[in-house]
Each structure stands twice: as C-alpha cells, then as structure tokens.
Amino acid sequence: MLKGLINAKSMPVWIETSFPIIQIVLLSLIAISSVLIIFAVLKKPSDPEGGTNAITGISDSYYMHNKSNTKEGRLERLIIISLVCIFVFTILYFVLQLILNSFAG
C-alpha cells in the first residue's frame, strides 16, 4: 500500500494544460527558424574566389573589414541567429518532453 502512494505522481493541472501549447509554439519557432536558414542560404551569393583566401590568408581589404554591413554579412548574421534559435528551442522542447515523461510514468 505504501509503495503505491510513493509511485503515484499526479500531474498538476497547469502542466497538463500549458505544456502542449508550449510544445506547439516551440515546434513552430523551430520551423520558422529553419525556413529563415533556407531562405538566407539561397539568397547568399556564392564565393567567387572559392575559398582561396582561407589558404592564402589575404583578408586585408576594405570589403573584408566592413563585411558585416553588407547584404552578405546580414545574411550570415541571420543564419547564425537562426541556428542558435533552433539549438535553444530544440533543447527546450526535449526538456519539456522529459518533464512530461517524468509525470507520466
């Protein structure tokens, strides 16, 4: 009888009602971030030098110093921010899953 009381975990009502909504919101944010990454990668121009600057080490140009102000720099920033958002939202989603599973069984 005591063993049944120890294992009996009841899920609070606020968890039961709010966590499914939070999960839907997190999945929607992950999907939006993914679409932003796809859009930014498709809009980003290809590298005309083919990455030879990484080999030769030539990067002292006015363009390279102000790259973050260009369209390409903004697209790179959008890609990085979207990747970080996907990472954080995915971690939050799976933490919520762990919390729900701990109450379920």
Side-chain angles (χ1 to χ4, degrees):
M1 181 170 164
L2 184 61
K3 187 175 182 180
L5 291 175
I6 293 173
N7 290 336
K9 292 182 181 177
S10 62
M11 189 181 306
V13 176
W14 69 272
I15 290 177
E16 195 172 319
T17 57
S18 65
F19 275 24
I21 296 170
I22 294 171
Q23 287 178 334
I24 290 171
V25 169
L26 285 174
L27 287 175
S28 301
L29 290 172
I30 290 170
I32 290 169
S33 297
S34 301
V35 169
L36 283 175
I37 289 175
I38 292 169
F39 170 76
V41 168
L42 289 176
K43 293 295 282 184
K44 187 175 175 185
S46 63
D47 187 15
E49 297 179 15
T52 56
N53 283 343
I55 297 170
T56 60
I58 300 172
S59 64
D60 273 349
S61 68
Y62 180 75
Y63 173 74
M64 295 303 275
H65 288 293
N66 295 315
K67 189 175 180 180
S68 63
N69 297 333
T70 63
K71 180 181 175 183
E72 184 178 342
R74 288 189 299 265
L75 287 174
E76 285 182 16
R77 194 175 323 130
L78 177 65
I79 291 171
I80 292 171
I81 290 170
S82 297
L83 286 172
V84 169
C85 288
I86 287 176
F87 178 75
V88 170
F89 295 148
T90 304
I91 296 295
L92 286 175
Y93 178 80
F94 283 110
V95 166
L96 286 176
Q97 284 295 108
L98 286 174
I99 292 171
L100 280 176
N101 290 339
S102 69
F103 281 113

